[in-house]
Amino acid sequence: MTELLKKSKGHHQELEKIIQERDEYLAGWKRAQADYQNSQKEMNSKKIEYSRYAQERILEDLLPIIDHFDEALKHIPEDQKQEAWVVGMFHIKKQMDEFCRKQGLEMFGKVGDEFDPMVHEALGQVDAPEHTGCISAVVRCGYRIGNHIIRHAQVMVGK
Amino acid sequence: MSKILGIDLGTTNSCVAIIEGGQPKVLENAEGNRTTPSVVAISKKGERLVGQTAKRQAVTNPENTVYSVKRLVGRRFEDAEVRQAEKILPYKIVKSGNNVKVSMNGADYTPQEISAMVLAKLKADAEAKLGETITEAVITVPAYFDDAQRKATKEAGEIAGLTVRRIINEPTAAALAYGFEKKKDEKIAVYDLGGGTFDISILEVSEDTVEVKSTNGDTHLGGDDFDQVVIEWILNEFKKQEGIDLSKDPLALQRVKESAEKAKIELSTAHETEINQPFITNGEDGPKHLVMTLTRSKLEELVGSLVEKTFAPVRKAMEDARMKAGDINEVVLVGGQTRMPMVQKKVEEFFGKKPHMGVNPDEVVAIGAAVQAGVLQGDVKDVLLLDVTPLSLGIETLGGVMTRLIERNTTIPTSKSQVFSTAADNQTSVEIKVYQGEREMADANKLLGRFMLDGIPPAPRGVPQVEVIYDIDANGILHVTAKDKATSKEQKITISGSTGLSDAEIEKMRKDAETHAEEDKKKKEAIEHKNMADTLLYTTEKALKDAGAKLTDDERKPILEKMDELKQVKDKDDVEAIKKAVDALSEAIQKIGEKLYQSAQQPTEEPMNQGTTEQEKAEPVEAEFEEKQHE
């Protein structure tokens, strides 16, 4: 009889251990499932973020080229401005502007704007009493899409 | 339990990481950057600015913008370091008892209060990113920091509302990031060349502890000095070319600075880079362009002495640790400037072994801090260690190509399936040959097992659908099942030795694949073209037959000619010739496309797919496979 009781007690203990293990495994499995679902969700939101990031990176690399092109146009001698090839260049410029508009790119940073380190990067200060605390010269204009800054404007600040 | 942040509170930049799902992860700040400048300012309007914003207004507000405050933390006013800092830092350093304070906008702050402002931003941004409150952190400090400096750093954390669970050494954190704390009795050298400072530390790992044996460095040597050398080179070259000194023109100088940094970074991967800044300035005879090429060897010549300069402290540290270069077991690189191949080469030459650089050198310290945080919060224990398949598993398909079902490094248990088809008309059986390895050709890999699936009802090639399922269970046992979808007849095989390879064997197989990558690719390409040619011939023949009387002999003739041409070249190894013949035939078919269109449609979806050894052929039935999984 005691033998039987002992055996039954042993079984009971073993069962408890197994139940405990089962609970542990079930919890672990649920956690793994949850982790997976969460990572799926995160991946979906990341995808959107990455595609936006990729677009911004391309635009960022394109901006200096647009800047340089603008600079080139500024250097066209006055007496050549009516020549057909120059007019053609301005048509290309129009296409570039149209492209930027379609991307939602908006230029910012003008002389006289109040200096704001959230969107402007100060490269130096110059004596310009009429522009104290404001932009006295724009070194490189800034670009944003909506409220998102693609490139900070580099400016000189008046003092 | 809330997360514990791992924080690398740097002299110029700081970085934050956490443990998530057992893995360390760097957190981006509110502006989306992975590092945050350790800069604090009070603007003219009395606003407190931290990080990039503070940095952007620094030149307009130098006396109220504090950076490099780490150089002052825990120092006494008399310290030589403070004297030196006073000379180069634009903000005011004042005496406060024995210690120092800095002035911003009329108020004095202790260095730990300034550091706390940086930490508070890091904390707030991390909370926003994680969506939970953070109360604890592990913060790193240089190995040479004394007790006062460590205490002050801890205080900074507390002012920022963080309980500092531990202050750990930066080199130790770097070693933790690589998991070296488990390597007993190893000696580790940590070479840290950041933006403004250089540190070398020699560590020794013993039972449960990482001990700093010695440390040395140069507090005023870093990547910024490298940039400066490149800037000067560009300015000099331009002066030689155009006779104009760009350093006098602040706008041009800014563009030169940016191009110099960009060129330096590009030369870490490229051997040559072009610096191209059109319309940099105006000369007497019109606009001037800055266009020059900088090669990696030229860059190395320019900065060679700076790299060399780091080795005096390295030698000193080795001496202090009473070690020889050969005693070092592992070398770890920290800091962005160590991305430069020349730095890596020189370090390798010095220690006689390849340095570790798998972890981003800008982030490795924060990641190590997060690893320590993970140990403290008990996360690491929770992680169930899952195995991965060391090598890819696949089957042999038409032409002896290895078609992988399970890619290497896939976490197991896992299951993948793909539908294949027959390569010949009325083929009633397929042989499944299970291979393991990374080579493109099946027979160069290891054959794990093979079996036949027969009883497939006779049908034209490409029509029968045989689903092959690879399933690896948690014990690494591979079950391969092949099932004919029409008859539901299936065959399976169980392979238990699939992960029983030794590390050396696995390594050898991977190396083999790397060394043969190019030739394998060519071979595979040739076979794919041949398969494509076969498919095209087959479908054309079928289309011609189906078209019957709809086509005149005159219309048939050019096609038959082109088919003959293709047949002649298809079994030779000349890929170009096959391509040309395939194009010619395709073109010929297109000319009479209208009439052929309908008949050619049906089984022609197969062209690109490789079939199997005189048996099966792959077919993209992804959607069906997806469904199957959820049944």
Side-chain angles (χ1 to χ4, degrees):
Chain A
M1 197 62 189
T2 36
E3 192 76 351
L4 215 63
L5 267 173
K6 230 189 211 166
K7 215 173 169 184
S8 141
K9 205 175 161 198
H11 280 313
H12 190 72
Q13 274 173 348
E14 200 175 329
L15 186 64
E16 256 178 21
K17 196 177 137 231
I18 289 170
I19 289 174
Q20 200 187 339
E21 269 180 4
R22 181 205 65 185
D23 289 347
E24 209 174 288
Y25 293 158
L26 182 66
W29 178 75
K30 279 185 178 163
R31 184 173 286 271
Q33 289 290 317
D35 276 352
Y36 177 68
Q37 283 185 16
N38 288 334
S39 92
Q40 289 284 69
K41 283 178 214 159
E42 197 189 351
M43 211 154 81
N44 281 334
S45 67
K46 281 267 176 209
K47 260 188 223 158
I48 299 169
E49 204 179 300
Y50 285 147
S51 72
R52 198 186 72 171
Y53 177 73
Q55 183 206 10
E56 285 179 8
R57 282 300 299 272
I58 293 172
L59 290 176
E60 222 183 304
D61 284 350
L62 195 67
L63 293 178
I65 304 173
I66 295 177
D67 287 348
H68 293 159
F69 190 72
D70 282 347
E71 197 59 38
L73 294 183
K74 281 187 208 151
H75 280 82
I76 295 169
E78 206 51 48
D79 60 330
Q80 287 176 29
K81 282 212 168 138
Q82 295 313 314
E83 286 185 26
W85 72 268
V86 176
V87 174
M89 295 299 270
F90 278 98
H91 287 318
I92 299 174
K93 165 69 182 148
K94 230 162 71 186
Q95 284 180 326
M96 277 168 26
D97 289 346
E98 179 61 17
F99 167 81
C100 291
R101 200 186 57 77
K102 271 194 191 149
Q103 298 293 321
L105 271 178
E106 201 188 325
M107 201 199 277
F108 67 89
K110 288 196 307 289
V111 171
D113 285 356
E114 191 184 353
F115 172 70
D116 175 4
M118 298 299 280
V119 297
H120 303 141
E121 179 184 352
L123 295 183
Q125 273 188 303
V126 286
D127 284 317
E130 73 280 17
H131 290 312
T132 306
C134 294
I135 298 175
S136 64
V138 179
V139 178
R140 200 184 68 179
C141 63
Y143 282 95
R144 65 172 132 224
I145 296 179
N147 284 327
H148 194 72
I149 306 290
I150 305 298
R151 186 175 83 180
H152 291 83
Q154 290 184 331
V155 299
M156 303 299 276
V157 181
K159 65 171 179 190
Chain B
M1 193 169 128
S2 79
K3 303 255 183 218
I4 304 177
L5 290 186
I7 303 177
D8 169 9
L9 184 61
T11 309
T12 32
N13 287 302
S14 296
C15 183
V16 178
I18 49 145
I19 293 285
E20 197 175 83
Q23 297 294 324
K25 182 180 154 188
V26 169
L27 294 179
E28 289 162 3
N29 63 17
E31 293 82 33
N33 299 318
R34 293 166 78 86
T35 57
T36 302
S38 310
V39 184
V40 174
I42 305 280
S43 76
K44 298 236 160 95
K45 287 189 221 147
E47 275 175 299
R48 183 200 289 176
L49 306 170
V50 184
Q52 202 65 52
T53 345
K55 199 176 167 186
R56 278 199 291 267
Q57 57 82 63
V59 290
T60 67
N61 191 20
E63 63 282 9
N64 299 315
T65 305
V66 179
Y67 60 92
S68 288
V69 79
K70 195 175 172 182
R71 296 187 192 275
L72 305 174
V73 159
R75 297 273 185 191
R76 296 160 69 87
F77 192 74
E78 281 71 32
D79 287 355
E81 181 74 18
V82 175
R83 295 272 74 73
Q84 204 184 353
E86 230 179 355
K87 273 182 232 153
I88 49 170
L89 298 174
Y91 51 87
K92 210 166 134 204
I93 299 170
V94 295
K95 193 171 176 185
S96 163
N98 281 328
N99 302 321
V100 295
K101 281 192 174 183
V102 297
S103 294
M104 269 196 309
N105 219 24
D108 292 344
Y109 301 87
T110 60
Q112 43 270 49
E113 281 175 309
I114 302 289
S115 288
M117 293 177 195
V118 175
L119 289 170
K121 174 182 164 63
L122 299 176
K123 174 178 182 274
D125 286 1
E127 284 175 340
K129 192 94 194 169
L130 295 170
E132 58 181 286
T133 313
I134 304 281
T135 55
E136 297 178 307
V138 170
I139 303 179
T140 61
V141 295
Y144 57 76
F145 258 30
D146 62 19
D147 276 349
Q149 290 169 299
R150 283 163 204 265
K151 216 172 129 253
T153 305
K154 199 169 175 196
E155 241 177 81
E158 268 142 29
I159 299 168
L162 290 165
T163 304
V164 180
R165 289 288 298 269
R166 197 155 301 177
I167 293 280
I168 63 170
N169 289 319
E170 285 159 12
T172 306
L176 288 178
Y178 282 99
F180 290 158
E181 75 281 9
K182 293 174 199 93
K183 299 203 161 187
K184 291 204 179 71
D185 299 323
E186 284 222 325
K187 296 172 184 70
I188 302 165
V190 180
Y191 180 102
D192 179 352
L193 188 55
T197 56
F198 170 66
D199 291 303
I200 174 78
S201 310
I202 310 298
L203 313 179
E204 189 170 326
V205 185
S206 49
E207 203 71 44
D208 291 335
T209 57
V210 181
E211 191 192 344
V212 180
K213 297 301 278 185
S214 70
T215 174
N216 212 301
D218 185 334
T219 50
H220 297 276
L221 173 64
D224 299 345
D225 300 299
F226 286 60
D227 289 347
Q228 198 53 45
V229 171
V230 180
I231 291 168
E232 269 154 34
W233 177 79
I234 295 174
L235 293 175
N236 278 331
E237 287 295 299
F238 192 76
K239 208 169 172 183
K240 266 193 255 167
Q241 281 173 21
E242 305 284 351
I244 298 173
D245 183 5
L246 291 178
S247 67
K248 300 280 182 290
D249 178 349
L251 309 191
L253 187 60
Q254 176 64 25
R255 284 171 70 184
V256 170
K257 276 183 186 166
E258 278 169 19
S259 343
E261 198 193 342
K262 196 168 150 240
K264 184 188 85 172
I265 291 168
E266 277 177 5
L267 288 176
S268 284
T269 46
H271 282 273
E272 197 178 281
T273 185
E274 185 174 59
I275 296 159
N276 181 343
Q277 293 286 344
F279 302 98
I280 189 93
T281 192
N282 276 315
E284 280 166 14
D285 50 346
K288 296 286 177 206
H289 312 303
L290 171 70
V291 179
M292 50 184 73
T293 302
L294 181 59
T295 61
R296 188 188 281 178
S297 54
K298 182 69 197 171
L299 174 70
E300 291 180 349
E301 185 191 314
L302 292 170
V303 301
S305 61
L306 290 174
V307 177
E308 214 41 65
K309 221 172 141 186
T310 63
F311 286 95
V314 172
R315 281 185 204 99
K316 197 94 209 320
M318 296 299 289
E319 249 169 56
D320 293 347
R322 291 168 207 285
M323 283 181 207
K324 292 189 294 295
D327 297 336
I328 299 293
N329 304 96
E330 315 280 354
V331 184
V332 174
L333 296 181
V334 181
Q337 192 56 51
T338 62
R339 287 201 179 85
M340 186 180 186
M342 185 197 200
V343 173
Q344 294 164 4
K345 203 176 109 218
K346 293 281 173 192
V347 171
E348 186 179 345
E349 273 169 22
F350 184 90
F351 290 104
K353 55 178 53 69
K354 258 201 172 335
H356 291 269
M357 40 201 174
V359 184
N360 184 334
D362 295 317
E363 300 171 352
V364 61
V365 170
I367 284 173
V371 169
Q372 177 69 59
V375 172
L376 292 172
Q377 76 192 17
D379 239 19
V380 176
K381 190 186 70 198
D382 277 345
V383 180
L384 181 65
L385 272 176
L386 294 172
D387 259 339
V388 295
T389 55
L391 294 162
S392 301
L393 294 159
I395 70 171
E396 183 179 315
T397 54
L398 190 63
V401 170
M402 165 91 170
T403 297
R404 284 188 268 274
L405 269 89
I406 298 179
E407 296 282 342
R408 80 184 176 91
N409 277 340
T410 303
T411 306
I412 59 171
T414 189
S415 170
K416 288 277 164 67
S417 84
Q418 197 173 331
V419 176
F420 296 89
S421 193
T422 50
D425 288 342
N426 302 321
Q427 184 181 327
T428 56
S429 71
V430 291
E431 186 180 26
I432 310 288
K433 283 166 135 180
V434 181
Y435 280 97
Q436 178 180 42
E438 307 309 315
R439 298 283 297 272
E440 298 288 357
M441 305 311 299
D443 61 5
N445 291 316
K446 188 178 172 196
L447 179 66
L448 295 178
R450 61 207 290 177
F451 64 96
M452 298 286 287
L453 175 66
D454 49 21
I456 298 170
R461 66 180 253 172
V463 172
Q465 295 200 328
V466 177
E467 185 182 32
V468 177
I469 305 159
Y470 273 46
D471 182 282
I472 309 181
D473 65 19
N475 302 315
I477 295 168
L478 171 66
H479 307 268
V480 178
T481 311
K483 188 170 152 191
D484 175 21
K485 287 192 156 189
T487 60
S488 289
K489 198 175 169 195
E490 64 174 45
Q491 279 297 335
K492 50 179 89 169
I493 188 174
T494 297
I495 298 157
S496 50
S498 66
T499 49
L501 293 167
S502 71
D503 286 353
E505 280 174 292
I506 292 166
E507 198 44 42
K508 186 182 170 296
M509 288 174 81
R510 275 186 205 158
K511 281 264 162 62
D512 271 0
E514 262 170 48
T515 42
H516 293 96
E518 201 50 40
E519 59 176 282
D520 279 7
K521 205 179 123 199
K522 281 206 188 106
K523 225 191 258 178
K524 189 182 170 191
E525 206 184 350
I527 289 166
E528 278 172 359
H529 278 94
K530 187 176 163 294
N531 289 346
M532 197 164 78
D534 275 336
T535 307
L536 186 62
L537 286 172
Y538 174 82
T539 49
T540 313
E541 237 159 55
K542 191 166 184 306
L544 288 178
K545 209 168 100 196
D546 291 353
K550 275 191 261 175
L551 283 179
T552 64
D553 280 350
D554 278 355
E555 282 169 325
R556 271 170 201 275
K557 205 174 150 241
I559 296 177
L560 290 172
E561 273 172 24
K562 295 282 183 284
M563 282 174 76
D564 277 342
E565 279 166 29
L566 181 56
K567 275 179 198 161
Q568 274 169 26
V569 295
K570 82 174 172 65
D571 289 327
K572 291 177 191 142
D573 282 339
D574 188 349
V575 174
E576 283 309 311
I578 299 177
K579 261 195 217 167
K580 235 168 100 186
V582 164
D583 286 348
L585 178 56
S586 304
E587 209 177 307
I589 302 171
Q590 270 165 23
K591 281 193 187 138
I592 48 152
E594 273 297 293
K595 286 186 181 170
L596 277 178
Y597 187 69
Q598 280 178 328
S599 35
Q601 269 299 294
Q602 297 139 11
T604 320
E605 359 86 355
E606 57 204 56
M608 296 302 290
N609 309 325
Q610 333 91 318
T612 58
T613 58
E614 75 280 1
Q615 278 107 351
E616 319 105 79
K617 194 203 104 280
E619 224 179 32
V621 204
E622 282 289 80
E624 267 185 56
F625 153 58
E626 283 284 330
E627 242 170 278
K628 192 104 190 123
Q629 286 271 304
H630 292 284
E631 261 168 24

